Amino acid sequence: RRLKVRVNIELLSISNPVHKKDLAVRLTDDTDPFFLYNLVISEEDFQSLKSQQGLLVDFSAFPQKFIDLLQQCIQEQNKDIPRFLLQLVSSAPALDHTPVSLNVVETNPFKHLTHLSLKFLPGSDAEIKKFLADCLKCLKEEKMMLEEKLKKTEEDLTRQLSYTQQSLSEKSRELDKLKNEWTSYTTALSSKHSQELTSEKERALQAQTQYQQQHEQQKKELESLHQKSIQQLQNRLSELEVINKDLTERRYKGDSTVRELKAKLSGLEEECQRAKQEVLSLRRENTTLDAECHEKEKLINQLQTRVAVLEQEIKDKDQLVNRTKEVLDATQEQKVILEESTEEKQRHLERLEATIKSLSAELLKANEIIKKLQGDLKTLMSKLKLKNTVTIQQEKLLAEKEEKLQKEQRESQELGQSLRMKEQEVCKLQEQLEGTIQKLEESKQLLKTNENVITWLNRQLSEVQMAKKLDSPASAQAGGRAAVSPLGMPDRPSFHSSGISHPISPLYAFQNFLEPTHSKNGNSQCPVSKVPLNSQLSKLSRCSDAHTVPAAGHAANKENGDQLGLDSKYFKKKDDSIPLRGLSQNTLNSEYLRPYLPAKAQPPPRAAGTPASAYFPG
């Protein structure tokens, strides 16, 4: 529980028989007269207390330090979480004349620190009686003092009463004299004022007619100005509504284009999944080829190199697919940025509409104020007719009203200026909207160019595959009728004279590998039969259809001068562009792409027999 305790600290000096100083501390409660605890600390007791509790203060400075701690507790007592607390701890459950300890505690989030702990003894019956007697003595002295003060105040009040009564009688006499004088003076003044009022009435009527004419003219002018401003605002509102409709239509068109792009993206993802499945099937076929190559111990080294080449081409195609995905992600990010910018512009338009509405509300308030002023003028005119005695005050009021009217006119002019400023802001916002629309159109054009590039690449791949399908049966027949090795393999054609260097298909690699055996063992008998080897060649030719591109297709395109629908700007090098890696070396032949490259990006002329990878790595 919490109590308010009175702490009395006295420094007692005893000189009989030895000069000593004792510190007496007494705890009392003003509500409970039997609550009394005493503590007397001598210099010897303080030394033991100092050694027990680790105090750093001498006996002479201890009372002041104890008082400082108590003052800090008083300052913190009204707070919810006080820093300093004064705890009275008893061993018994209630304060039943048992020794208690008074602790000065400092609280922090980590620990409760006790700065000082003093043990108090309960007061005996004699001490309690002495304490109660002292309290009675003090109360009696206070009572005597209060009685003396009461007597003095009563005497003072009686004196003041008598004096005020005398002054009242004198003032009443003076009042009677003043009343008589005032009546005579008012009769004289009323006669004078009656004459002045007749003259002032005539003047007021003339001024009233003048003010009415002026007021009607001003009213007509204000009404004409107000109608003009309302018409201008209505025209402005209609224009803004038309602009808002155009913007909403453009937004819907943008949403439709975004949906089309999403559909195209899903189609491209499906194509990527199909390409991945084809790659998996090709890898499975490569594993079967590796198993067969292990069976043939003589052909192991060269077949492993060819399989590595095939895997590299597959990885290049995977990289190309990943890069096309990155391009699509970049276009989607641009689309999101554009959508956010359009939303911000719409919010800004809504804010402008809100400002226009607030301005119209302010205009309505101004009209209401003008109407109120007109009503005030009517009331003033009626007061002029009824109360002719207050003509001077009415002239002052009219002057004030004229000042208010001038203020209102100034405010209306300021409102017109603010309206012009808002119109300028709306024009600036329209220019910003036009800039954002141009940016949207540029982004759409970029998306169209990206789609054209993708369609061009798809056409190239489809044309190459069709050319391969058409040329593969004819080449197989011609190779069968040409020079045949003892193992049933055609000889390797030489392309060094033409200067064309392309990736070699697995079928051609297999034919090339069998040439040395033919030259070394010209008339030797081969233990391998022709039928299984030809079936193996057919398998290899099927596997090579997805990776090789014949040079005849490029030569035909070069002779015809077909630029395949692409301008030279799509082959310029940019920091954010995607390199054409992953395509086969046939499509990246420098002589084939030379007409489409700009002057700076064209490679130097290639000598005969040099590979195209020297100019287009990867």
Side-chain angles (χ1 to χ4, degrees):
R1 61 175 178 167
R2 296 181 68 181
L3 285 174
K4 287 186 179 180
V5 180
R6 187 179 296 278
V7 182
N8 295 319
I9 300 170
E10 295 179 1
L11 192 64
L12 305 174
S13 60
I14 300 167
S15 60
N16 190 13
V18 182
H19 184 72
K20 289 183 180 179
K21 284 186 178 180
D22 293 336
L23 183 68
V25 184
R26 184 173 64 192
L27 297 177
T28 58
D29 189 1
D30 294 338
T31 58
D32 187 5
F34 294 100
F35 183 85
L36 179 65
Y37 288 92
N38 295 316
L39 173 65
V40 179
I41 301 172
S42 63
E43 291 183 359
E44 292 83 5
D45 296 334
F46 179 75
Q47 294 298 325
S48 63
L49 181 69
K50 183 178 179 181
S51 62
Q52 286 176 3
Q53 299 187 10
L55 301 177
L56 303 174
V57 184
D58 295 332
F59 182 75
S60 59
F62 175 71
Q64 186 61 41
K65 294 291 180 182
F66 184 47
I67 289 165
D68 293 337
L69 289 171
L70 291 174
Q71 286 177 353
Q72 287 181 354
C73 293
I74 291 164
Q75 290 174 1
E76 298 284 331
Q77 68 181 352
N78 293 321
K79 294 182 180 179
D80 295 331
I81 302 170
R83 187 181 172 189
F84 287 93
L85 294 172
L86 194 66
Q87 290 183 349
L88 189 68
V89 182
S90 175
S91 59
L95 297 172
D96 296 333
H97 300 289
T98 55
V100 295
S101 61
L102 184 71
N103 299 326
V104 180
V105 180
E106 182 182 357
T107 61
N108 56 23
F110 180 69
K111 189 180 179 182
H112 291 272
L113 300 172
T114 56
H115 289 284
L116 186 64
S117 179
L118 300 174
K119 289 185 178 179
F120 284 81
L121 294 172
S124 60
D125 293 336
E127 290 174 347
I128 291 168
K129 287 176 183 178
K130 186 179 179 182
F131 172 68
L132 291 172
D134 292 335
C135 290
L136 276 170
K137 187 178 179 182
C138 291
L139 288 170
K140 283 180 180 179
E141 288 176 354
E142 287 178 0
K143 184 183 175 185
M144 293 293 290
M145 291 288 289
L146 289 169
E147 285 177 352
E148 288 177 358
K149 284 181 181 179
L150 272 171
K151 286 178 182 178
K152 288 179 181 178
T153 51
E154 283 177 357
E155 289 174 356
D156 292 334
L157 287 170
T158 51
R159 288 172 188 172
Q160 288 177 2
L161 248 175
S162 62
Y163 179 72
T164 50
Q165 284 176 357
Q166 290 176 1
S167 62
L168 246 177
S169 61
E170 290 175 357
K171 294 289 179 185
S172 61
R173 290 171 188 170
E174 289 177 358
L175 226 169
D176 293 332
K177 290 178 181 178
L178 288 169
K179 281 181 180 178
N180 294 323
E181 291 175 357
W182 183 250
T183 52
S184 63
Y185 183 68
T186 50
T187 53
L189 280 174
S190 60
S191 62
K192 287 180 183 179
H193 281 297
S194 61
Q195 294 175 359
E196 290 176 358
L197 278 171
T198 54
S199 61
E200 289 293 332
K201 280 179 183 179
E202 292 175 355
R203 290 177 187 175
L205 288 170
Q206 291 176 359
Q208 184 180 358
T209 54
Q210 289 178 0
Y211 285 132
Q212 282 179 355
Q213 291 174 359
Q214 290 178 0
H215 178 67
E216 287 176 355
Q217 289 178 359
Q218 290 177 358
K219 182 180 177 183
K220 289 177 182 178
E221 290 175 357
L222 285 171
E223 285 178 353
S224 63
L225 289 171
H226 181 62
Q227 287 177 358
K228 287 178 182 178
S229 63
I230 287 168
Q231 288 177 358
Q232 290 176 359
L233 287 170
Q234 286 177 354
N235 293 325
R236 192 68 188 160
L237 275 171
S238 62
E239 290 175 359
L240 287 171
E241 286 176 355
V242 171
I243 291 163
N244 194 4
K245 288 178 182 178
D246 294 333
L247 288 171
T248 51
E249 288 176 358
R250 288 176 184 174
R251 183 187 172 187
Y252 290 134
K253 287 178 182 178
D255 292 334
S256 63
T257 53
V258 166
R259 288 171 186 169
E260 290 175 358
L261 286 171
K262 284 181 180 178
K264 288 178 182 178
L265 199 147
S266 61
L268 287 171
E269 286 178 353
E270 289 177 358
E271 288 179 0
C272 287
Q273 288 179 359
R274 290 173 187 171
K276 285 180 181 179
Q277 290 177 0
E278 288 177 0
V279 167
L280 290 171
S281 64
L282 289 169
R283 283 178 180 172
R284 288 171 186 170
E285 289 178 1
N286 283 327
T287 53
T288 56
L289 288 169
D290 289 333
E292 290 175 358
C293 287
H294 282 298
E295 292 176 358
K296 298 172 183 180
E297 294 178 355
K298 293 178 182 180
L299 307 175
I300 246 174
N301 295 319
Q302 293 183 2
L303 285 174
Q304 283 179 352
T305 57
R306 298 290 180 258
V307 169
V309 169
L310 287 171
E311 288 179 351
Q312 185 64 35
E313 288 179 355
I314 290 163
K315 288 177 182 177
D316 291 337
K317 287 189 177 180
D318 290 331
Q319 288 177 359
L320 191 140
V321 170
N322 291 325
R323 282 170 187 161
T324 53
K325 283 183 180 178
E326 289 175 357
V327 170
L328 287 170
D329 293 332
T331 53
Q332 285 180 355
E333 289 176 356
Q334 288 179 356
K335 181 191 74 176
V336 171
I337 291 163
L338 290 169
E339 286 178 353
E340 290 176 353
S341 65
T342 52
E343 287 177 356
E344 288 177 356
K345 297 297 177 185
Q346 285 181 356
R347 289 173 187 168
H348 198 63
L349 277 172
E350 289 175 356
R351 289 174 187 169
L352 284 172
E353 289 176 355
T355 54
I356 288 162
K357 288 178 181 178
S358 64
L359 286 170
S360 62
E362 287 175 359
L363 284 170
L364 291 171
K365 287 179 182 177
N367 291 326
E368 289 176 359
I369 290 163
I370 289 163
K371 289 178 181 178
K372 286 179 182 178
L373 288 170
Q374 290 174 359
D376 292 331
L377 283 170
K378 288 178 182 178
T379 54
L380 285 168
M381 297 304 288
S382 63
K383 285 178 181 179
L384 278 168
K385 291 177 183 178
L386 294 172
K387 296 180 180 180
N388 293 317
T389 58
V390 199
T391 54
I392 297 165
Q393 292 179 358
Q394 286 178 351
E395 286 177 358
K396 291 179 181 179
L397 287 170
L398 283 169
E400 289 176 359
K401 294 297 176 183
E402 284 178 355
E403 289 177 357
K404 285 182 181 178
L405 279 170
Q406 289 176 359
K407 287 180 182 178
E408 292 296 329
Q409 288 176 357
R410 290 172 187 170
E411 287 178 357
S412 64
Q413 289 176 359
E414 290 176 356
L415 284 170
Q417 290 177 359
S418 64
L419 274 171
R420 289 170 189 169
M421 293 292 288
K422 294 295 178 184
E423 287 177 355
Q424 290 177 1
E425 288 179 0
V426 170
C427 292
K428 290 179 182 178
L429 286 170
Q430 285 179 355
E431 290 176 358
Q432 290 178 1
L433 275 172
E434 289 174 357
T436 51
I437 289 161
Q438 288 178 0
K439 288 179 182 179
L440 274 169
E441 290 176 355
E442 288 175 0
S443 64
K444 287 178 182 178
Q445 288 178 0
L446 283 171
L447 285 170
K448 286 179 181 178
T449 53
N450 289 326
E451 289 176 359
N452 289 327
V453 170
I454 290 163
T455 53
W456 178 75
L457 290 171
N458 289 323
R459 285 176 190 171
Q460 288 295 315
L461 288 171
S462 63
E463 286 175 1
V464 168
Q465 288 177 0
M466 290 295 291
K468 269 186 0 187
K469 288 178 181 178
L470 291 170
D471 292 339
S472 59
S475 62
Q477 289 177 5
R481 291 175 185 177
V484 181
S485 66
L487 294 173
M489 296 287 179
D491 291 330
R492 176 184 175 183
S494 62
F495 295 105
H496 296 287
S497 62
S498 61
I500 297 169
S501 178
H502 300 293
I504 300 167
S505 66
L507 177 63
Y508 180 73
F510 196 82
Q511 292 172 1
N512 188 13
F513 176 73
L514 292 175
E515 280 183 1
T517 57
H518 176 64
S519 62
K520 288 179 182 179
N521 301 319
N523 296 318
S524 62
Q525 294 178 356
C526 185
V528 184
S529 64
K530 292 182 180 179
V531 176
L533 199 57
N534 287 324
S535 65
Q536 187 67 27
L537 284 169
S538 65
K539 287 180 183 179
L540 286 169
S541 67
R542 289 175 190 170
C543 183
S544 66
D545 286 341
H547 302 284
T548 60
V549 179
H554 296 287
N557 288 326
K558 187 174 179 183
E559 289 173 1
N560 294 326
D562 188 9
Q563 294 187 4
L564 298 171
L566 280 176
D567 295 329
S568 61
K569 64 182 180 180
Y570 299 117
F571 294 96
K572 290 180 182 179
K573 186 175 180 181
K574 295 181 181 178
D575 294 331
D576 56 346
S577 61
I578 299 168
L580 292 170
R581 297 185 65 184
L583 293 173
S584 65
Q585 298 292 332
N586 292 326
T587 57
L588 291 174
N589 192 358
S590 65
E591 293 172 355
Y592 175 64
L593 291 174
R594 191 180 294 276
Y596 310 112
L597 292 172
K600 293 181 180 179
Q602 283 185 1
R606 181 164 54 84
T610 57
S613 60
Y615 299 100
F616 297 97

